Amino acid sequence: MAIVPKNYPESSIPQEPAELIRNCILQELDKLNVGGSEPKFREVRHRAGMLRAACVDAGTCSWLAGVVRNCASWDGAKLKLVKEDDLPKPIKALVWIPGSQMESDQILHRLKVQNQKLPMSSWRVVSTKADPKGQQMVVAMDESSWKVLQDTYHGRLHLQFLSVSFRLLGRKSKEQAEAQERMDTIVAGPSNLSTPEPGRGDGTGSAVDSPRSIGTAHTITALLESQMVDLLRTPSSEGSDSAGQEC
């Protein structure tokens, strides 16, 4: 089970407010009398922007659901208890940040300050990987944030003295899907390629079987795969709020 704000994943539970919610649950536990409700937990811990509650039995889940409804979150928002499988899955995006190493909280703070049209309250850092030239960071966000990131900022956000590009993980972007569709269409070839090729002695040959046709298909496939990679690496040239402007 998971304790989350009612508008999750637009809002999530940070570490410090999670302790306030745990204390609220314990205060309600102290009000119980022997012979009444008997809540039992394996654990209640903060993780991934929520409080994960491992209830021992159904009675505990029922009691906790009632308690959570009366526990206000740190900002006064209402909370709810739900099955984790019923929660919407967050979007994960990869961003490469060149330069010296920074703490994740510092990166998120600067992104929020420099890109204030983008709601980032639900953003959390999933992982980071450093190397001598910079660092790679995976960020989890909700669908609405990803839509604003694409529609308003065209996938690029200001950070410090440059802009950085966010690439979708686990799903195909619109550009990737279109490139894949073009590749599938060309590799499959037109329907008349399966007809016998005139002039062949056995009458069984076809254009799709010929070495020349196969070589052409392989070449086109390689070109399209290259285009898909370029789509991920090339900064957007369209105008947006994040476009540079000389002072």
Side-chain angles (χ1 to χ4, degrees), residues 14-35:
Q15 178 66 52
E16 291 185 8
E19 290 304 312
L20 298 177
I21 298 169
R22 283 165 54 94
N23 289 336
C24 176
I25 296 171
L26 292 176
Q27 289 171 8
E28 293 300 315
L29 184 65
D30 290 339
K31 295 177 183 179
L32 296 176
N33 296 316
V34 174

Side-chain angles (χ1 to χ4, degrees), residues 2-247:
I3 301 171
V4 294
K6 282 196 171 182
N7 63 338
Y8 181 89
E10 283 77 13
S11 294
S12 58
I13 301 176
Q15 178 66 52
E16 291 185 8
E19 290 304 312
L20 298 177
I21 298 169
R22 283 165 54 94
N23 289 336
C24 176
I25 296 171
L26 292 176
Q27 289 171 8
E28 293 300 315
L29 184 65
D30 290 339
K31 295 177 183 179
L32 296 176
N33 296 316
V34 174
S37 297
E38 189 181 5
K40 297 183 286 290
F41 302 93
R42 293 188 180 90
E43 67 174 358
V44 177
R45 63 190 177 102
H46 180 258
R47 186 178 178 186
M50 67 182 77
L51 269 174
R52 287 181 169 175
C55 302
V56 171
D57 51 38
T60 300
C61 289
S62 178
W63 176 84
L64 183 60
V67 169
V68 164
R69 282 194 293 268
N70 295 321
C71 283
S73 69
W74 66 101
D75 59 358
K78 293 295 185 179
L79 301 171
K80 61 181 179 179
L81 181 71
V82 296
K83 293 180 179 179
E84 282 195 58
D85 291 343
D86 294 339
L87 291 173
K89 302 300 181 185
I91 286 176
K92 292 181 181 179
L94 176 70
V95 58
W96 166 255
I97 303 169
S100 58
Q101 306 298 310
M102 292 187 288
E103 293 294 330
S104 300
D105 290 344
Q106 186 179 41
I107 294 172
L108 287 181
H109 176 73
R110 289 179 179 178
L111 285 171
K112 290 175 182 178
V113 169
Q114 293 184 267
N115 306 274
Q116 297 190 27
K117 290 184 180 179
L118 178 61
M120 301 186 202
S121 60
S122 68
W123 284 35
R124 61 182 178 84
V125 176
V126 177
S127 65
T128 58
K129 182 179 180 181
D131 68 34
K133 295 184 179 180
Q135 62 195 109
Q136 177 178 287
M137 188 168 75
V138 176
V139 181
M141 66 186 74
D142 59 276
E143 291 272 0
S144 59
S145 288
W146 177 255
K147 188 175 188 304
V148 175
L149 175 58
Q150 296 304 306
D151 294 349
T152 303
Y153 292 91
H154 301 282
R156 297 186 66 85
L157 296 180
H158 291 291
L159 178 63
Q160 303 182 125
F161 305 121
L162 44 77
S163 62
V164 292
S165 179
F166 287 76
R167 177 163 61 90
L168 190 64
L169 290 179
R171 309 183 196 178
K172 290 181 180 178
S173 67
K174 180 181 178 181
E175 292 83 1
Q176 287 176 279
E178 289 174 350
Q180 182 65 54
E181 185 178 354
R182 290 197 301 271
M183 180 168 25
D184 292 343
T185 301
I186 293 174
V187 171
S191 58
N192 62 2
L193 283 178
S194 60
T195 58
E197 186 181 72
R200 297 285 289 269
D202 55 7
T204 60
S206 66
V208 73
D209 291 330
S210 69
R212 182 177 180 181
S213 297
I214 293 173
T216 301
H218 286 172
T219 301
I220 294 172
T221 300
L223 287 172
L224 286 173
E225 287 176 344
S226 176
Q227 289 177 5
M228 291 177 70
V229 172
D230 290 342
L231 283 171
L232 297 176
R233 294 179 176 174
T234 304
S236 172
S237 60
E238 299 178 31
S240 70
D241 179 73
S242 62
Q245 183 176 357
E246 294 184 1
C247 297

